[in-house]
Amino acid sequence: MDTRHMRYFMALAETLHFGRAAERMNMSQPPFSRQIAMIEHTLGVKLFERNSRNVALTPAGKHFMKDCRNVLGQFEDACRDVRLIASGMKGELRFGFMMHAAHSVVPQLVQLYAEARPDVRLVLDERTPTEIDEMLVAGTLDAAVTFDCGYAPHLQAVLLARERLRIIMRKDHPLATAGQIGPDELRDEKIIAAPAATAPALRSAINSYFSAGGIVPRVVLEPRLQHTIIQLVAKGLGVALIPASLCTELGAGLTSRALSDAPQLDVVLRAPITTKNPAVSTFMEIGKSIQRTSL
Amino acid sequence: MDTRHMRYFMALAETLHFGRAAERMNMSQPPFSRQIAMIEHTLGVKLFERNSRNVALTPAGKHFMKDCRNVLGQFEDACRDVRLIASGMKGELRFGFMMHAAHSVVPQLVQLYAEARPDVRLVLDERTPTEIDEMLVAGTLDAAVTFDCGYAPHLQAVLLARERLRIIMRKDHPLATAGQIGPDELRDEKIIAAPAATAPALRSAINSYFSAGGIVPRVVLEPRLQHTIIQLVAKGLGVALIPASLCTELGAGLTSRALSDAPQLDVVLRAPITTKNPAVSTFMEIGKSIQRTSL
DNA sequence: TCCATCTGATACCCTGAAAGCATTGATCGT
DNA sequence: ACGATCAATGCTTTCAGGGTATCAGATGGA
């Protein structure tokens, strides 16, 4: 038994006429009759009651017809789907992103891609930049949005946006109403920043900003999550330098200010060059289209 | 593409080794390799990444594996089920029965059959004897329990039980405490009985009982449903002759009495001789086993 | 570095499943 | 009774798919 035999059976079950069923199968009647006989023989089941005048389904044949319709449908679907998956029209894309990009490019990227490839299941995974790098290398992620940290072999990258850092503080903090803010003004401030092990690019940008002014920053707290940093600032435990896009939705007691010669960070979309997931390529393409509008 | 090809694919997907997969398919490696290449070619999809040292599934291949497992499973099921249906182990049996047998043989028959053939769906259909006869001929029922009405071509029959008729009446009715009850005692009673058009065997048994005593019964009401007859007797509108098995669960105000020379009716299990439903034969066999215990 | 070995791909041949054509046999309507 | 219709059967042919032998690329040990 084979799907071909099921198709023969279905043709006869639907037409109840050997000649016409054979025609539908693009063959002549005699071999078709033989195939039907063969099917019945191998199954050991009489599927049709027939004489030289009439053809009718047996009860077993009626049930088999339903089952065959099912099986053939699923069979076709499987063949169709594997093509769609291979072409990137269907499947799954594991997409990582850092919190620092969650409010800017990520929503846009996700929305555009979901519109372009509605049958690809986007698995979103918020991670720290370091975790993202590891998972991209390990193949646990297909693509990710993170800060550009320079050299990365076997990873392709698309520049999505360039973000300036701003400083955030409580509204009752002296700096909230001060003039220009640069490294010098921050000399004695308690700084809250993610550790280098978690967000190397961000931390090194902050460090460079201070060391360019000859200052050693007083980093008093190093929480791993961006969320936590903002909460600690809100409790008055210090100030923090965070990407501008995260400053739009601060809590009530917080405010942000621009920095003089503010450090810039590149937000990139990354994926392994040797990715086997065909869904990635259009994801990267959509990244490029975002780049054109955001830069 | 065919299920055979899917099986080849699955063998390779599970072993990730051409030689061993070919062996599992009981063939040599070269034609197996060709078949895999053919599958990939006809689908237009690369399912395996391979060199002379390693074989691995592509993402599309991984998805296809799941789909194939599904399809192959359903395929096997369909072939297995059609055999079960043809052997009467699975399927559907449309079973009609008259109310007059609902309290005696029908529950037993249904229970025994459900135990013997748990995968056959028993469709129960309570009908009047006349409806049952029509539906058996029309093929709307596969089998039915009804009164034996003598000659019935192209119907096979198994005698299930022989039921005596008893008379039912209100407890405050004079007959409830009278001596022997025969046609003579019923001469002036108002009789309630199903019309001949609905239950010919029953009605003719009642008529014969009276005419044997030279009596013409005073049939005052002719409801079609057995249920209604009992209700009308309860309201004091007359008395009725009903099968003994229905007398065990009369309402509070009713009682039943034996009749002298009570008429007997044969309860039979019937099915078309030329039935195409393979589930019927064991149903009839179980009927025969009930017959042995009940007679 | 070279060779033995493992593994998948290719070349070529051969068998049999399945298709085609011609015909038979059974059934129904005129 | 006869012709028309339709499924079944007999016989031939073809090609999909299997077998054997061999090649070619990769790996690991000497």
Side-chain angles (χ1 to χ4, degrees):
Chain A
M1 277 291 295
D2 239 331
T3 47
R4 187 170 47 90
H5 296 115
M6 280 192 172
R7 270 183 270 269
Y8 290 165
F9 167 77
M10 286 301 289
L12 184 56
E14 283 171 2
T15 62
L16 295 177
H17 188 289
F18 278 76
R20 277 188 279 281
E23 193 179 9
R24 183 188 290 192
M25 291 289 102
N26 298 310
M27 61 195 287
S28 58
Q29 173 262 319
F32 183 83
S33 289
R34 265 198 304 266
Q35 288 298 322
I36 296 293
M38 228 266 283
I39 294 168
E40 291 185 322
H41 182 255
T42 54
L43 285 178
V45 171
K46 211 175 174 192
L47 297 169
F48 298 96
E49 294 287 344
R50 54 186 179 280
N51 50 41
S52 58
R53 213 64 199 168
N54 294 306
V55 179
L57 280 162
T58 61
K62 271 191 196 125
H63 282 265
F64 194 50
M65 197 173 157
K66 291 180 204 156
D67 286 350
C68 284
R69 217 191 294 280
N70 251 329
V71 170
L72 290 175
Q74 296 225 352
F75 181 86
E76 308 286 344
D77 287 352
C79 295
R80 190 174 43 77
D81 285 356
V82 74
R83 288 196 187 93
L84 290 177
I85 291 165
S87 70
M89 298 297 292
K90 198 171 188 295
E92 187 178 285
L93 197 149
R94 292 159 304 173
F95 170 48
F97 63 96
M98 57 177 188
M99 191 57 202
H100 311 87
H103 291 289
S104 52
V105 287
V106 167
Q108 192 186 356
L109 182 61
V110 167
Q111 192 194 343
L112 285 175
Y113 186 73
E115 281 167 11
R117 295 286 181 268
D119 290 333
V120 175
R121 199 159 63 87
L122 257 189
V123 180
L124 300 186
D125 202 351
E126 197 256 304
R127 297 281 179 173
T128 65
T130 304
E131 284 174 327
I132 285 174
D133 285 347
E134 287 164 0
M135 291 174 79
L136 281 176
V137 172
T140 322
L141 289 177
D142 292 312
V145 168
T146 182
F147 287 129
D148 188 10
C149 59
Y151 177 67
H154 54 257
L155 286 185
Q156 53 182 313
V158 172
L159 179 62
L160 293 179
R162 191 157 276 164
E163 286 222 79
R164 285 187 186 279
L165 295 188
R166 290 170 68 86
I167 184 163
I168 61 167
M169 66 219 71
R170 283 172 67 113
K171 282 181 180 163
D172 56 10
H173 192 281
L175 281 177
T177 50
Q180 284 251 333
I181 304 179
D184 253 357
E185 285 74 26
L186 298 174
R187 179 191 305 266
D188 298 321
E189 290 297 329
K190 288 180 274 187
I191 307 292
I192 304 173
T198 300
L202 176 61
R203 184 57 184 268
S204 94
I206 292 172
N207 286 349
S208 307
Y209 183 58
F210 282 97
S211 59
I215 310 288
V216 177
R218 274 185 64 203
V219 178
V220 292
L221 290 167
E222 293 191 318
R224 296 177 63 253
L225 303 179
Q226 188 61 27
H227 188 61
T228 314
I229 293 179
I230 295 175
Q231 281 190 320
L232 295 178
V233 171
K235 288 191 175 161
L237 297 176
V239 300
L241 276 65
I242 68 172
S245 69
L246 286 181
C247 294
T248 52
E249 293 172 28
L250 294 172
L254 290 179
T255 186
S256 74
R257 307 252 343 245
L259 293 166
S260 57
D261 289 324
Q264 281 192 348
L265 278 162
D266 288 347
V267 176
V268 293
L269 172 60
R270 280 228 180 103
I273 297 173
T274 61
T275 184
K276 266 115 187 187
N277 190 333
V280 171
S281 60
T282 48
F283 197 63
M284 300 303 281
E285 288 306 314
I286 286 173
K288 280 180 198 162
S289 75
I290 288 176
Q291 172 191 36
R292 278 194 293 278
T293 61
S294 72
L295 290 185
Chain B
M1 277 292 293
D2 239 333
T3 47
R4 186 170 46 90
H5 296 116
M6 280 192 172
R7 269 183 271 270
Y8 290 164
F9 167 76
M10 286 301 289
L12 184 55
E14 283 171 2
T15 63
L16 295 177
H17 188 288
F18 278 76
R20 279 188 279 281
E23 192 179 9
R24 182 189 292 192
M25 291 291 102
N26 298 311
M27 61 195 286
S28 57
Q29 172 262 320
F32 183 83
S33 289
R34 263 201 311 267
Q35 288 298 324
I36 295 293
M38 229 266 283
I39 294 167
E40 290 185 322
H41 182 255
T42 54
L43 285 178
V45 171
K46 210 176 175 194
L47 298 169
F48 296 96
E49 295 287 346
R50 54 188 178 279
N51 51 41
S52 58
R53 211 67 198 169
N54 293 307
V55 179
L57 281 162
T58 61
K62 273 193 196 122
H63 282 265
F64 194 50
M65 199 173 153
K66 292 181 203 157
D67 286 350
C68 283
R69 218 191 293 280
N70 251 331
V71 169
L72 290 176
Q74 296 226 352
F75 181 86
E76 308 287 345
D77 287 352
C79 295
R80 190 173 43 78
D81 285 356
V82 76
R83 288 195 187 94
L84 289 177
I85 291 165
S87 70
M89 297 297 293
K90 198 172 190 295
E92 185 179 286
L93 197 149
R94 293 158 304 175
F95 171 48
F97 63 96
M98 56 178 190
M99 192 56 203
H100 311 86
H103 291 288
S104 51
V105 288
V106 166
Q108 193 186 356
L109 184 61
V110 166
Q111 193 195 342
L112 285 175
Y113 187 72
E115 281 167 11
R117 295 285 181 268
D119 290 334
V120 176
R121 200 159 62 89
L122 258 188
V123 181
L124 302 185
D125 203 350
E126 197 257 304
R127 297 281 179 172
T128 65
T130 305
E131 285 174 328
I132 285 174
D133 286 348
E134 287 165 359
M135 291 174 78
L136 280 175
V137 172
T140 322
L141 288 177
D142 292 313
V145 168
T146 182
F147 288 128
D148 188 11
C149 60
Y151 177 68
H154 54 255
L155 286 185
Q156 53 182 312
V158 172
L159 178 61
L160 292 179
R162 191 158 276 164
E163 285 224 77
R164 287 187 183 279
L165 295 188
R166 291 171 68 88
I167 183 161
I168 61 167
M169 67 217 73
R170 283 173 67 113
K171 283 182 177 162
D172 55 11
H173 191 281
L175 282 178
T177 50
Q180 285 253 331
I181 304 178
D184 253 358
E185 286 73 26
L186 297 174
R187 179 190 305 267
D188 297 322
E189 291 298 331
K190 288 179 274 190
I191 308 292
I192 303 173
T198 300
L202 176 61
R203 183 57 182 268
S204 96
I206 294 172
N207 287 349
S208 306
Y209 183 60
F210 283 97
S211 59
I215 311 287
V216 177
R218 276 184 63 202
V219 177
V220 292
L221 289 165
E222 293 192 317
R224 295 177 64 253
L225 302 179
Q226 187 63 24
H227 188 62
T228 314
I229 293 179
I230 296 176
Q231 282 190 321
L232 295 176
V233 172
K235 287 191 176 162
L237 299 175
V239 300
L241 279 64
I242 69 172
S245 69
L246 286 181
C247 295
T248 53
E249 293 173 25
L250 295 171
L254 291 178
T255 187
S256 73
R257 306 255 341 245
L259 293 167
S260 56
D261 289 325
Q264 281 191 349
L265 278 162
D266 288 347
V267 176
V268 294
L269 172 60
R270 279 226 180 106
I273 296 174
T274 60
T275 184
K276 266 116 189 185
N277 190 335
V280 171
S281 60
T282 49
F283 198 64
M284 301 303 280
E285 289 306 314
I286 285 173
K288 280 180 198 161
S289 75
I290 289 177
Q291 172 192 36
R292 278 194 293 278
T293 62
S294 74
L295 290 183

